[in-house]
Amino acid sequence: MAFDSLAAFIAMEGHGPYVWTCYGVFVLLLGGLVYWSLRQRRQVIAAQRRELSRATASGMAASQNAPAASFTRVKVSQD
Amino acid sequence: MHPIRKKRLTIVLFLLAGIAVAVGLTTYALRQNINLFYDPSQIAAGDAPLDVRIRAGGMVEEGSVQRDPESLKVEFRVTDFNSSVLVEYTGILPDLFAEGQGVVAMGRLNASGRFVADQVLAKHDENYMPPEVAEALERASAGTHKAGDSGGPETAY
Amino acid sequence: MWQLFHKLGSPKWFFGIANRLMPWLLLGGVALLFAGLIWGLAFAPQDYLQGNSYRIIFIHVPSAFLAQSVYIMMAVAAAVTLVWRMKLADVFVKSVAPVGAVLTFLALFTGAVWGKPTWGTWWIWDARLTSMLILLFLYFGVIALGAAISDEKSSARAVAVLVLVGVVNIPIIKYSVEWWNTLHQPATFKLTEKPSMPAEMWVPLLLSVLGLYLIFGWFACLRMQTEILIRERRTRWVKELVLAGRS
């Protein structure tokens, strides 16, 4: 250890505020970048999953029930 | 390599070379303005304008610092080991200010060749070392270090 | 060799490689960075002139070093984009530009906080500090230009040209302290000479530089993967991957 006590380590002979500000901002900004990058990725995957499940649902509806459904709907609206 | 790609590559290289030349010429033309400060030789040669706010930089000459006992006024010589310029300054000096250290002073050069500074910044070099090493170096360079003082046989005891 | 080059251009292949690399990059990077920073903060001796304020060097130099090498990597990728039209190169440029901007900001910020107690000023318009500020604006420009053009191909080309034009700033940053009078001191680390500090100072510094390099690699993999997921969302492998819910 280059310091005798924890208090001396924090104070750094008066240079503490400068040193600790730098290290604090460094950790904060890099941590923020990690959080932002991970969140962006989660959001992209979640959005694509929603889109895919909607597409497969409507795709299935279109391939099987869609003609009948639209037929009935037309019928109903004419009534 | 595909001829189209080869062509693109040459275009990219030419682009880079062109910009490099342009920027190189610009910085060469502006070199005097990019320099942060005038060194004492330039000032002695009359390159620095009088009575205009400029910066002067160099080493604080050993033994030249004179502090006024009644005020914060300090006088010292800044040297580049060829010529030197007398600087006067009133105010608080940075922690690193010391004889033999680099400084950059901001202020005006008056007709008598004195540099009246309103701000003094410390400039340090790229060397870092622990205090003990610095002390040892100083002792060694002061010449008080005798060859026989510290040797293998004594430390072996 | 060319085969590997073309394989590298395949987003799917890259995605898999990145998945395998990322845990190691993160683990190694965090370990090295922590070792370097704790060593530098608590165990390295103080400097004979600056006392303890010089401990800022252990984050200032890695940030500044990475800020410049990230830009050089971006410039290489930009050249690849222009010559070979490789999509992955453009993905790289756009993914890492924000990381480079953060690193440049950190270098400027820590430099300012360090400058106050040592030089006596937060900021001075000397060649080194000014060229570093230009680097920050270059990163901002790359991010803004990439976001402003929606067409993928023209955006890739425009960004690549900007990155290449800006690369002349890198030698200016590097040699500014030698070509001109600056307040900033010359480099402590040189490739050809021994560092001008003792081992108990430069070893932790080297550790934190290496650590930050690996962490940058992790950032690059993660952010490129995200960008690939967006761009390749219509391909089958991305759809399967998204539905499988892994990663």
Side-chain angles (χ1 to χ4, degrees), chain B residues 63-141:
Chain B
S64 74
V65 179
Q66 289 183 335
R67 287 171 204 267
D68 185 10
E70 268 130 52
S71 67
L72 284 170
K73 196 170 157 192
V74 214
E75 277 186 12
F76 52 90
R77 300 195 74 85
V78 168
T79 176
D80 61 356
F81 305 110
N82 284 325
S83 34
S84 68
V85 59
L86 188 66
V87 178
E88 64 170 75
Y89 171 68
T90 309
I92 297 163
L93 291 161
D95 297 349
L96 252 60
F97 180 89
E99 290 178 358
Q101 283 296 315
V103 285
V104 172
M106 228 173 287
R108 289 161 202 277
L109 191 66
N110 65 21
S112 58
R114 283 166 83 90
F115 192 87
V116 184
D118 50 46
Q119 189 183 18
V120 172
L121 302 175
K123 177 170 161 59
H124 63 86
D125 58 15
E126 71 276 28
N127 297 306
Y128 299 84
M129 55 181 125
E132 310 86 62
V133 177
E135 273 168 35
L137 275 181
E138 202 158 302
R139 250 183 289 127
S141 69

Side-chain angles (χ1 to χ4, degrees), chain A residues 14-37:
Chain A
H15 286 138
Y18 299 108
V19 176
W20 293 114
T21 310
C22 282
Y23 279 77
V25 169
F26 180 78
V27 169
L28 212 72
L29 276 187
L30 280 190
L33 197 61
V34 170
Y35 174 76
W36 178 53
S37 303

Side-chain angles (χ1 to χ4, degrees), chain B residues 2 7-8 27 32 34 38-39 48 90 100 119-120 128 135 155-156:
Chain B
H2 199 281
K7 202 174 127 203
R8 287 191 201 135
T27 48
Q32 206 44 261
I34 296 173
Y38 291 96
D39 43 43
T90 309
Q119 189 183 18
V120 172
Y128 299 84
E135 273 168 35
T155 44

Side-chain angles (χ1 to χ4, degrees), chain C residues 98-116:
Chain C
V99 184
V102 167
L103 290 168
T104 314
F105 175 81
L106 276 172
L108 285 168
F109 179 85
T110 54
V113 175
W114 191 6
K116 186 64 190 165

